[in-house]
Amino acid sequence: MGMVKVIFFDLDDTLVDTSRLAELARKNAIDNMIQHGFPIDFETAYNELIELINEYGSNFPHHFDYLLRRFDLRYNPKWVAAGVIAYHNTKFAHLREVKNARKALIKLREMGYRLGIITDGNPIKQWEKVLRLDLDDFFENVVVSDFEGVKKPHPKIYQKALKIFRVNADEAVMVGDRLYSDIFGAKRVGMYTIWFRYGKYAHRELEYEEYADFKINDLLELPQVIEVLENGSNKEVHADR
């Protein structure tokens, strides 16, 4: 078994508390639109926005324009602006790291591990999160799928990351909240995998659970889990402690 040299992290809902932030931002956006005369009640408007986001994706640039269309309302730039402003103000004011993320990263760096990020998404948006939370110094490299042209769980994104760090798969660990894209994806190329049960994926995609070498509920468990992994003990040892 190779010595672990690099620990890769997913970004959203692994290091950055994304889901909670997005929900708050959307609620505040609808609130602000209503305050400026948008004639739909909160519940109805919010549910329609969620449906729209599920259909068009969260990086779609016209959520609020389309929201008006869906209610057969005439285009009103004031309402759209109210939504956009509240959305961005919330994201700006409430961006948080996942509990204990920084502490865990400090500890892992002290232990001598090299750290990286493998994330899907818009490269500018992903870098913005890393820089705003002042996490960039921890990571040697941030690999963003949309920049590389291949999405998790495709083996190529993981192979690209291993190549950038010049390590073999069995010298790398992947930590992430999604069993399918993070855990199954990394396992397929031969990396060690640690499933962080957090956020909205804590109980989803369980058919891929067998690909997780370890499961954790708190990032502060990482140093201990990686020591167990390094010593070649099996996962039962950790589970029974």
Side-chain angles (χ1 to χ4, degrees), residues 3 21 23 39 59 63 72 116 169 193 203 222:
M3 283 282 289
L21 179 71
E23 187 187 349
N59 284 330
H63 289 146
D72 300 320
T193 54
H203 306 287
L222 274 176

Side-chain angles (χ1 to χ4, degrees), residues 57-74:
S58 59
N59 284 330
F60 180 67
H62 305 294
H63 289 146
F64 301 118
D65 306 357
Y66 274 41
L67 188 62
L68 270 60
R69 293 181 191 182
R70 285 166 89 110
F71 288 118
D72 300 320
L73 294 165
R74 251 191 74 202

